[in-house]
Amino acid sequence: MSREELRSKLESGLALTAIEQALLEAYLEEDAQSDHVQQVKGMVPCEPSLAWRAHLNAKLEQMRPAPKRWFSHLGVKLAAGGLATAAAGIALFLTFANGPQPEPNSISQDLVRWHQEAVAAGGDQNAKPTDSDKVLFGESVSSL
Amino acid sequence: MSHQTEESVLDGTILSRCKRRDSEAFGYLIDQYQARVFGYVRRMVPTIEDAEDISQEVFIRAFQSIERFDGRASISTWLFKIANNLCIDRKRRANRRPEETPLAGEDRDRAHGIPDSRWDPESHVVASEMGDVLENVLRSMSEKLRSVLLLHDHEGLSYEQIAEISNVPVGTVKSRLFLAREALQQALKQYGNVGDLK
């Protein structure tokens, strides 16, 4: 079957036999190296202009979701900051509330002992001060 | 680098970023394909304004639907399919309104990308004439034949890819390619630029 016959059959829309299909593929292979196919392959590329690209970029930019307004970002940041501060405060309070009690200093120990001795002495309001009382009020025993 | 190699690199590294709406990655995708898409569309529609509008629409639609792109086809197949469908839509709309014919020489005046040939005017004239002849022959073909010829012989796509783009069986693609090449050869012979090819 010649090229013309094959072309006529294809143009008329008739189905090809298996042999004709094989022949078609052979012609396609053969044509791939021909001059006219090479000319199509080497046609000058069409580059779009920079204005075209800028216009496309502008269109795509319009399609992107708009960024949130600055004050909504500020509100979120303030709320987050407040929450963080509150959490830090609670943590600090819990740490010190459950922590070890401070040891009483010497003055408070003396006050307690003096009170206990006073109670043991019978609750006499006119009782003389003990040595510890003198020490407590800044007088040394030797000076009395 | 061949189209196929470029695509495999692009498919692997850029596509996932594009799906996450990464602007930079999508810009890179446009960089890679804009000339091919624009060139194809430019040869499928009569005016450069239509070509600019349609090729922009190709990338806008790609941007809108890239999350649904499953990667079974290559990116080029996907983009050319969008482009082909838009060209068909444009043709249908044009058929419903009066014919638009570009002014003679309009495109040549707009072509700012032509290399400067002032130092070799003769070769430029020959190349330009040959190019013009080829473009005219392509324009004289039906859209179906022109599309297959451009996608296979200019873009280097496979029969299967073109079948996917054109939504026709592979056998139909081969038949159209054979007819397109025959038409091209006959037309070029008439212009006397090719001579005895076979």
Side-chain angles (χ1 to χ4, degrees), chain A residues 48-78:
Chain A
S49 65
L50 291 175
W52 174 91
R53 181 60 189 272
H55 195 200
L56 174 61
N57 287 346
K59 284 181 179 177
L60 290 171
E61 193 60 39
Q62 285 178 348
M63 290 169 57
R64 292 197 177 97
K68 290 180 181 174
R69 297 186 182 281
W70 66 270
F71 49 78
S72 64
H73 283 288
L74 185 65
V76 170
K77 284 177 182 171
L78 285 175

Side-chain angles (χ1 to χ4, degrees), chain A residues 40-41 43, chain B residues 36 38-48 50-51 54 80 83-84 87-88 90-91 95 99-100 102 107 133-157 162 165-166 172-184:
Chain A
V40 173
K41 193 174 182 179
M43 279 193 305
Chain B
R36 294 178 69 191
F38 180 79
Y40 173 72
V41 173
R42 176 66 198 94
R43 290 180 170 114
M44 290 300 293
V45 297
T47 68
I48 196 162
D50 281 342
I54 289 173
F80 279 121
N84 200 51
C87 289
I88 292 169
R90 188 253 164 229
K91 175 73 177 171
N95 286 342
E99 181 95 13
E100 296 169 10
D107 289 347
V133 167
L134 203 53
E135 299 285 354
N136 286 335
V137 171
L138 282 172
R139 257 180 230 131
S140 68
M141 284 185 190
S142 72
E143 279 85 5
K144 289 176 180 175
L145 298 190
R146 195 190 324 161
S147 169
V148 171
L149 186 71
L150 287 171
L151 291 173
H152 189 276
D153 288 348
H154 187 62
E155 296 299 335
L157 301 187
I162 300 168
I165 291 165
S166 310
T172 305
V173 173
K174 291 177 181 175
S175 302
R176 287 180 182 175
L177 182 61
F178 176 79
L179 291 174
R181 284 174 173 175
E182 287 289 301
L184 177 67

